[in-house]
Amino acid sequence: MTTFQNQKTPNIQILAISGSLRASSSNARLLQAAALLAPKEVKINLYQNLGELPHFNPGLDDFNISAVLDFRNQLKNSHAVIISSPEYAHGVPGTLKNALDWIVGSGELVEKPIALFNTSARSTFAQASLKETISVMLGRIVEEASITLPFIDKNLDANEIAANPEIARLLKGAIDALLRSIDSAS
Ligand SMILES: Cc1cc2nc3c(=O)[nH]c(=O)nc-3n(C[C@H](O)[C@H](O)[C@H](O)COP(=O)(O)O)c2cc1C
């Protein structure tokens, strides 16, 4: 797990999951930018092991697979979750859906505040499908924290994305909305 943080003693933990395994993923860079813009008491941790999870098999659910246990623990230890995912062939990337399938039975998303970020206005199918899957898992999608971002230039790193005033405004607004939803739940 990589931590992108701008503070010393954070006490709110947010797990950020990129649905893309691409090394220079725009979704991952966007989540890193969000971490840079988060208030000092908030730590946004980027989940690193999406591609390490085995294919979901309900028959192996009780087998204490370490990558699965680690994923579940990271979720358990987080107050909220942000998912930023590309769309592939009008659907949710298989690796992300696979990760969600591993936590249907164990229930780490139940009542968890969740923000969905979207880096493309035309990617509507994956967002709708993610919403449906998370809702049936009883995750609490925070609409005010779920945003569609303007085009993310592939040449920009996380610092440069965070320095874009329009993107920073949207990201800060989404983080604030997510934090309010954590407050209202506690
Ligand atoms: C195989 C493939 C299929 C794709 N299918 C869609 C699609 O159905 N709808 C869409 O809006 N974008 C589609 N895209 C574009 C990706 O969603 C887009 O490039 C995304 O920004 C990649 O995210 P990343 O930079 O985090 O890897 C597809 C890309 C690939 C490689």
Side-chain angles (χ1 to χ4, degrees):
M1 179 169 65
T2 301
T3 299
F4 294 85
Q5 62 184 102
N6 56 4
Q7 70 286 327
K8 288 188 181 141
T9 53
N11 44 34
I12 301 276
Q13 305 282 335
I14 296 176
L15 192 65
I17 302 172
S18 165
S20 172
L21 300 181
R22 223 159 54 80
S24 61
S25 159
S26 55
N27 287 280
R29 284 180 287 123
L30 180 70
L31 292 169
Q32 291 160 6
L36 293 169
L37 293 166
K40 65 179 180 351
E41 70 278 13
V42 177
K43 188 163 91 169
I44 296 182
N45 304 304
L46 189 63
Y47 179 61
Q48 296 283 310
N49 300 327
L50 197 70
E52 312 307 318
L53 291 168
H55 291 157
F56 176 60
N57 177 344
L60 299 181
D61 219 359
D62 297 328
F63 276 57
N64 291 335
I65 299 166
S66 63
V68 175
L69 293 179
D70 176 66
F71 179 49
R72 289 173 175 169
N73 276 332
Q74 289 193 45
L75 286 167
K76 258 184 226 153
N77 294 331
S78 302
H79 296 88
V81 174
I82 304 173
I83 298 175
S84 186
S85 178
E87 173 171 295
Y88 294 148
H90 286 188
V92 176
T95 42
L96 178 58
K97 180 61 166 61
N98 182 57
L100 294 174
D101 288 345
W102 275 114
I103 52 173
V104 172
S106 51
E108 284 76 14
L109 286 195
V110 174
E111 282 302 313
K112 190 82 78 183
I114 298 162
L116 298 181
F117 289 1
N118 187 359
T119 59
S120 167
R122 71 191 174 106
S123 300
T124 55
F125 295 96
Q127 289 294 304
S129 178
L130 264 179
K131 272 189 189 175
E132 178 62 26
T133 297
I134 290 168
S135 299
V136 84
M137 292 167 73
L138 304 180
R140 194 151 54 84
I141 291 174
V142 182
E143 293 293 344
E144 318 81 70
S146 296
I147 49 172
T148 297
L149 280 299
F151 174 72
I152 310 282
D153 188 324
K154 67 177 176 0
N155 297 311
L156 300 185
D157 65 19
N159 283 295
E160 291 165 328
I161 293 170
N164 177 304
E166 176 59 5
I167 296 178
R169 184 185 67 75
L170 288 167
L171 287 176
K172 283 181 178 175
I175 294 167
D176 283 351
L178 196 55
L179 295 177
R180 283 197 302 278
S181 112
I182 295 169
D183 279 350
S184 67
S186 52

